[in-house]
């Protein structure tokens, strides 16, 4: 299983971005999908998750500003981010974790989001 993240870039504070993560195989029905991020010098943190049934959870930093979604037909998930802040600057990673076998976990290569203040 390979995950390909894209959509990062440079944006001004207050702007928006959409991140995408495409899977190479049909996995979305069997995996909980998630976005994580890691800022320079900090630990990786959970941004948002979405189950195969469409239930979502958000980290504190994302609540109210970020929206995770999935398109099973395209084997893809998305992260829509609005009202971006400088502290949102990080490498964003998509993650897939099997619902029955959690050790089957996969990571994308990351996409850099830089928010200028």
């Amino acid at each position: 299983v390979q995950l390909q993240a894209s959509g990062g870039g440079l944006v001004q504070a207050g702007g928006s971005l959409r991140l995408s993560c495409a899977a190479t195989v049909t996995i979305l029905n069997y995996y909980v999908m998630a976005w994580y991020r890691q800022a320079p010098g900090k630990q990786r943190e959970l941004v948002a998750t979405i189950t195969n049934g469409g239930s979502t959870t958000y980290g504190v930093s994302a609540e109210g500003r970020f929206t995770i979604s999935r398109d099973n037909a395209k084997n893809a998930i998305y992260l829509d981010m609005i009202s971006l802040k400088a502290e949102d600057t990080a490498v964003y990673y998509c993650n897939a974790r099997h619902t029955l076998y959690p050790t089957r976990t996969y990571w994308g290569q990351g996409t850099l989001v830089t928010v200028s203040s």
Side-chain angles (χ1 to χ4, degrees), residues 24-103:
T24 55
V25 296
T26 303
I27 67 169
L28 297 188
N29 288 335
Y30 308 103
Y31 287 77
V32 175
M33 305 297 295
W35 287 98
Y36 287 76
R37 71 184 186 184
Q38 187 166 19
K42 295 188 177 181
Q43 290 188 332
R44 191 171 296 188
E45 65 171 345
L46 178 65
V47 176
T49 68
I50 186 166
T51 69
N52 52 3
S55 298
T56 59
T57 62
Y58 293 92
V60 173
S61 61
E63 191 73 51
R65 298 187 299 125
F66 295 180
T67 303
I68 189 171
S69 60
R70 63 195 293 158
D71 185 336
N72 288 354
K74 296 183 178 180
N75 293 326
I77 64 167
Y78 307 97
L79 185 69
D80 289 294
M81 305 183 292
I82 63 171
S83 302
L84 285 163
K85 307 173 183 178
E87 50 263 44
D88 294 318
T89 295
V91 177
Y92 286 71
Y93 298 90
C94 58
N95 168 277
R97 177 174 54 83
H98 199 285
T99 55
L100 296 178
Y101 306 103
T103 56

